[in-house]
Amino acid sequence: MTRNAGEARSSDFCRPHEAARRALCSIDEVLELLANGELEQVTYQAEYLFEGIMVSTGELRAKTKVPYPGWFHPNEVAERLCISYDEAAWLMRKETLKSEWINYRFGTAIVTTKQAVDEFDKRYISVSAAAKVAGKLPPSLVRKLGKSGVPPAINNQSGRPLFYHRYDLVS
């Protein structure tokens, strides 16, 4: 039971409870949209029963019309910087990417500004984005940069290179 799943990135899909948190809405809103058939980007894995329902956070955010003008949520940061949602949220929680917690609708959310993301993006490039530009796979780019003596600027929570300084890759 996948409907229009090709329109959303696979990393955009998650369980309804997590999608509600990421979209800054309530689980009741998600369930209401599901029950009324208003969500088009839904996948279902039957072997997981109710836990197998996955919805697109991007579509959910658009359908719940949650405005947070001027703020970037980790979803937008992840998309802009070519990283995962979890990595974007981690950067924001660690204050590596200037951000703040705001009280919003159903709880608190961590957000940043477009200006902060632009400034961050001018200084750093993600391994994924750099690999795409170089026409390589991320692991082979990391190996090549390591052999060249170019250290990563930011490692993720598990120690894997996540970002490099842009000036290290230009020279």
Side-chain angles (χ1 to χ4, degrees):
M1 170 184 152
T2 303
R3 295 178 283 175
N4 296 338
E7 295 174 16
R9 297 181 352 198
S10 63
S11 63
D12 190 41
F13 283 92
C14 54
R15 291 190 171 89
H17 183 69
E18 176 67 12
R21 186 182 67 75
R22 290 183 181 188
L24 302 177
C25 66
S26 73
I27 186 65
D28 293 339
E29 287 176 288
V30 178
L31 295 175
E32 185 176 328
L33 289 168
L34 275 169
N36 293 338
E38 295 177 40
L39 292 178
E40 297 173 11
Q41 298 173 6
V42 177
T43 63
Y44 180 67
Q45 298 170 329
E47 65 270 19
Y48 297 110
L49 303 172
F50 183 72
E51 292 280 319
I53 298 171
M54 305 286 268
V55 299
S56 164
T57 56
E59 180 188 21
L60 184 58
R61 200 174 319 107
K63 299 266 172 131
T64 55
K65 296 180 180 83
V66 179
Y68 39 103
W71 296 107
F72 270 36
H73 188 264
N75 284 317
E76 288 90 5
V77 172
E79 190 172 311
R80 169 79 186 279
L81 300 177
C82 295
I83 57 177
S84 73
Y85 171 89
D86 291 334
E87 290 167 335
W90 178 79
L91 283 173
M92 294 167 75
R93 283 191 311 270
K94 290 290 196 180
E95 288 287 322
T96 305
L97 175 58
K98 192 169 95 177
S99 56
E100 62 184 83
W101 290 92
I102 60 169
N103 289 322
Y104 203 81
R105 228 173 147 185
F106 297 102
T108 59
I110 192 164
V111 293
T112 189
T113 62
K114 180 183 183 321
Q115 179 183 1
V117 176
D118 288 345
E119 289 172 11
F120 185 89
D121 196 32
K122 284 178 188 172
R123 293 185 65 196
Y124 304 105
I125 185 167
S126 71
V127 170
S128 300
K132 194 179 292 185
V133 169
K136 297 184 177 285
L137 293 173
S140 65
L141 179 66
V142 169
R143 279 192 301 277
K144 179 182 175 191
L145 292 171
K147 288 178 184 176
S148 300
V150 177
I154 302 169
N155 291 327
N156 71 6
Q157 58 268 34
S158 62
R160 193 179 85 234
L162 186 58
F163 285 90
Y164 285 89
H165 286 283
R166 283 189 182 272
Y167 63 79
D168 281 342
L169 301 185
V170 174
S171 49

